[in-house]
Amino acid sequence: MSFPAERPRRLRSSEGLRRLVRETALSTDDLVMPLFVETGSAKSEPIPSMPGQFRFSADTVAAECAELYELGIPAVILFGIPERKDAEGSEAWREDGVVQTAIREIKKKAPDLVVMADVCLCEYTDHGHCGVVEDGRVLNDPTLDLLARTSVSLARAGADVVAPSDMMDGRVRRIRAALDEAGFSDTVILSYAVKYASAFYGPFRDAAGSAPSFGDRRSYQMDPPNSDEGLREARLDIEEGADIIMVKPALPYLDVLRRVKDEFARPTAAYCVSGEYSMIKAACERGWLDERRVVMEALTSVRRAGADFVLTYFAKDIAKWLGGK
Ligand code: PBG
């Protein structure tokens, strides 16, 4: 069929028709809200490079989570900012660590909210790298036990999902084995399987104080031009026991997301990271873009590219726009 019998505009001629033939929907069900927690109480400190985002303490993050749950958001992911950092990042696996404490408070206030905990050492190490450092190099194998220990401690605190974001090889297998051995065979692993060495993490590193003190993350996070390698990374994590695989960042890597979803047909997430948030925010603050329309368009594109759900700092705003539960 071709013109004049076929007129694609016919199905665009009313909102009712557009709604009927719409292929992708972004729903509150698809959103995970990232939250930063630090020690102390009654805190909600604005993060300058991420307007509208805050550093919470355990009590205020629990109240925030109750609100997010009421808005219909199914899950949050937590990042910790510890008071003390050391070479190994030992605050990451302390029983009364900053995230462990927050999880216990959240579970009291919002027991049915899915709590995900990011597993990485960079917020906890004094050098800011995601693993053990020796002679200026980030070592893979000695890091695995620390990640496994951290994961078990987060599961023990009540995390439903652990999300390793370090990009060490073999960590999913090690974490799965440690969780199972500790009796947490139902704890879900969401792996940052395809995580790029991206410049879009800048505002997060300000927020979490986790910028590396020397060098960069290019010896462990992926090289942005590569996409076949992303499939290999995803395959390895699935073989090692990842329940959900993630591509990160989202918008600059929609092609990779589509390939990963098509190739593996697994539950797949995408992380719309801090820089993606802040660049939209900055343009909207200047009145250059219409925030609500741009955010809905951008996040819908992530779903269209194959993400089952999206980690986004816009989650709360979107849930409000979509009208709650
Ligand atoms: C920890 C981690 C980072 C992000 C999520 N987990 C920072 C990094 O890898 O440097 C970035 C999230 C964001 O930018 O929103 N490794």
Side-chain angles (χ1 to χ4, degrees):
M1 209 166 47
S2 64
F3 184 84
E6 180 158 13
R7 288 180 180 269
R9 289 185 54 188
R10 226 178 258 135
L11 293 177
R12 296 176 202 144
S13 61
S14 74
E15 180 58 10
L17 286 167
R18 288 192 295 268
R19 281 169 61 200
L20 287 171
V21 300
R22 198 161 280 157
E23 299 170 33
T24 309
L26 178 66
S27 134
T28 305
D29 291 341
D30 313 321
L31 303 173
V32 179
M33 180 73 191
L35 297 168
F36 297 96
V37 239
E38 55 187 9
T39 54
S41 65
K43 287 184 182 165
S44 63
E45 293 173 5
I47 299 168
S49 55
M50 300 177 71
Q53 301 299 313
F54 302 87
R55 291 196 196 105
F56 295 103
S57 45
D59 53 342
T60 54
V61 86
E64 178 70 9
C65 284
E67 210 181 303
L68 294 169
Y69 184 74
E70 278 310 304
L71 284 167
I73 292 177
V76 295
I77 182 162
L78 303 177
F79 297 93
I81 306 156
E83 225 155 61
R84 283 181 306 277
K85 304 187 186 227
D86 60 26
E88 282 198 314
S90 62
E91 290 283 313
W93 58 83
R94 252 177 62 171
E95 207 180 313
D96 59 349
V98 56
V99 173
Q100 288 83 348
T101 306
I103 296 171
R104 289 192 196 94
E105 290 304 310
I106 293 167
K107 285 293 172 183
K108 285 183 213 157
K109 287 258 171 70
D112 296 326
L113 183 72
V114 173
V115 177
M116 304 181 168
D118 185 83
V119 175
C120 197
L121 300 177
C122 62
E123 295 116 78
Y124 300 90
T125 51
D126 50 17
H127 45 71
H129 278 288
C130 305
V132 174
V133 169
E134 207 178 271
D135 300 328
R137 291 182 50 232
V138 178
L139 303 183
N140 195 87
D141 297 11
T143 302
L144 300 180
D145 276 334
L146 307 186
L147 296 168
R149 211 190 288 184
T150 302
S151 301
V152 169
S153 123
L154 292 163
R156 194 166 283 134
D160 303 289
V161 179
V162 292
S165 66
D166 51 280
M167 288 302 278
M168 298 301 123
D169 295 330
R171 91 273 207 213
V172 173
R173 187 184 304 280
R174 189 70 67 92
I175 289 170
R176 184 71 272 160
L179 287 171
D180 289 354
E181 196 183 324
F184 297 106
S185 55
D186 285 337
T187 302
V188 170
I189 298 180
L190 185 173
S191 81
Y192 289 68
V194 189
K195 175 173 175 177
Y196 288 91
S198 170
F200 284 96
Y201 308 148
F204 174 97
R205 292 178 190 170
D206 281 350
S210 63
S213 62
F214 67 90
D216 53 44
R217 303 209 200 292
R218 283 186 281 188
S219 75
Y220 42 106
Q221 298 179 349
M222 282 180 53
D223 200 16
N226 296 356
S227 116
D228 291 344
E229 187 189 354
L231 297 187
R232 294 197 292 276
E233 280 282 7
R235 182 186 309 282
L236 283 167
D237 283 9
I238 291 166
E239 285 168 1
E240 291 181 27
D243 301 286
I244 305 170
I245 45 180
M246 183 151 72
V247 175
K248 176 190 173 188
L251 298 174
Y253 298 92
L254 294 181
D255 56 326
V256 179
L257 182 57
R258 171 47 64 195
R259 287 190 76 187
V260 166
K261 186 63 179 174
D262 284 347
E263 179 79 16
F264 302 106
R266 291 279 174 154
T268 304
Y271 197 148
C272 214
V273 302
S274 56
E276 300 177 72
Y277 172 83
S278 296
M279 71 180 175
I280 291 177
K281 274 285 183 192
C284 295
E285 278 183 354
R286 285 166 175 72
W288 293 345
L289 293 173
D290 175 330
E291 180 164 346
R292 181 167 169 171
R293 291 189 55 205
V294 160
V295 169
M296 291 304 289
E297 183 177 335
L299 274 291
T300 300
S301 80
V302 179
R303 290 268 296 121
R304 194 186 60 232
D308 297 294
F309 63 90
V310 191
L311 286 67
T312 170
Y313 302 93
F314 287 113
K316 190 178 185 182
D317 295 326
I318 296 172
K320 284 184 185 164
W321 296 333
L322 293 177
K325 262 184 201 171

